[in-house]
Amino acid sequence: MYQHFTKLAVAGLSLVLGLAAVLLSSAALANDIVRTMVNCNASRQSLADALSSISLDAVNEIHFRGTCIEDLTITKDDVTLTGDGVPNAVIMGGINIDGAHRVSLRDFDLTSPGAGDTGVDVSNGAAIKIDNIVISSGNIGIFVSNGSFARIENADVTVTGDEAALVVANGSTARLAGGSTLRATGEDVLGIDVKDHASLHQGGGSDEIIGGILINTHSYARMRN
């Protein structure tokens, strides 16, 4: 049984790269905050069930602990998925953010063991924040595509497959906000791949890139370290 708690949300707006910042920060001031607690080590509790029952007219905060063996898709705005910290909170699977705005992922370990898997897939105009997450993936750690935006901070991403720790594509934008390590361990695997009219901005702190950085034609990157 999940436990739900509500209180009045007082949220504001902040600017992060123009329109992307509005998508991430403009949660309605009048909405409630609905908090859901999930223990994946307990029977009949899962993150997928919690996501399927979230409120459409509230800011939803899902806090979890334990090992959650499942793939997740987030299509609704104003969702925060927070773990109980590494190693107490683990998701074994991939997370797909499909067109949802103001989504936050933080404080957990994400393992996508398959050779062709993607850890976090951000697509179709989605806008998310990634903070303090450890990602291990067989193919792509974080994939930002189709006009989406991702702000990445304090992330540790390792890829063993044949693509890149971070891929930004198809008119999307990613911002490295400091404290992250993007690590490619396979042969000819890239740390960062920016392509198809996409852009990458690095600033606000130091990030470590282990592996090559490829900025393709018609794309843009601004790196500070």
Side-chain angles (χ1 to χ4, degrees):
M1 183 68 66
Y2 302 120
Q3 303 174 39
H4 295 276
F5 306 93
T6 62
K7 72 176 184 179
L8 185 64
V10 180
L13 299 179
S14 62
L15 293 178
V16 179
L17 297 178
L19 178 60
V22 175
L23 294 177
L24 282 172
S25 305
S26 60
L29 296 177
N31 284 351
D32 284 343
I33 295 177
V34 178
R35 291 191 173 94
T36 303
M37 310 296 294
V38 178
N39 182 356
C40 287
N41 293 338
S43 62
R44 293 180 292 182
Q45 292 195 24
S46 73
L47 293 174
D49 287 344
L51 287 169
S52 68
S53 62
I54 62 177
S55 174
L56 292 177
D57 53 0
V59 176
N60 293 271
E61 296 183 357
I62 300 173
H63 188 102
F64 77 96
R65 67 177 301 140
T67 300
C68 311
I69 305 175
E70 51 188 324
D71 293 318
L72 302 175
T73 298
I74 299 176
T75 59
K76 299 173 183 177
D77 297 344
D78 302 309
V79 173
T80 295
L81 181 60
T82 303
D84 203 29
V86 178
N88 298 320
V90 179
I91 296 175
M92 297 186 67
I95 301 177
N96 178 23
I97 315 298
D98 187 357
H101 302 152
R102 300 177 297 278
V103 174
S104 294
L105 308 176
R106 63 191 186 201
D107 298 334
F108 59 86
D109 190 328
L110 175 66
T111 301
S112 300
D117 285 349
T118 297
V120 178
D121 189 349
V122 188
S123 62
N124 298 322
I128 76 165
K129 295 179 182 178
I130 296 173
D131 187 10
N132 196 32
I133 290 183
V134 177
I135 300 174
S136 301
S137 179
N139 196 36
I140 299 174
I142 303 170
F143 187 23
V144 188
S145 66
N146 299 322
S148 299
F149 172 81
R151 183 183 188 274
I152 303 164
E153 186 173 7
N154 300 318
D156 189 321
V157 183
T158 300
V159 171
T160 58
D162 58 2
E163 290 207 32
L166 171 63
V167 177
V168 190
N170 308 116
S172 298
T173 298
R175 178 185 178 98
L176 296 175
S180 294
T181 299
L182 304 177
R183 183 184 299 103
T185 62
E187 185 176 355
D188 299 325
V189 184
L190 295 169
I192 298 175
D193 187 5
V194 184
K195 57 188 178 181
D196 302 325
H197 303 276
S199 63
L200 173 70
H201 301 259
Q202 192 279 331
S206 178
D207 298 283
E208 183 178 9
I209 314 300
I210 302 174
I213 300 175
L214 178 61
I215 312 300
N216 290 269
T217 304
H218 306 302
S219 295
Y220 168 82
R222 183 178 68 183
M223 307 295 291
R224 290 189 177 182
N225 55 324

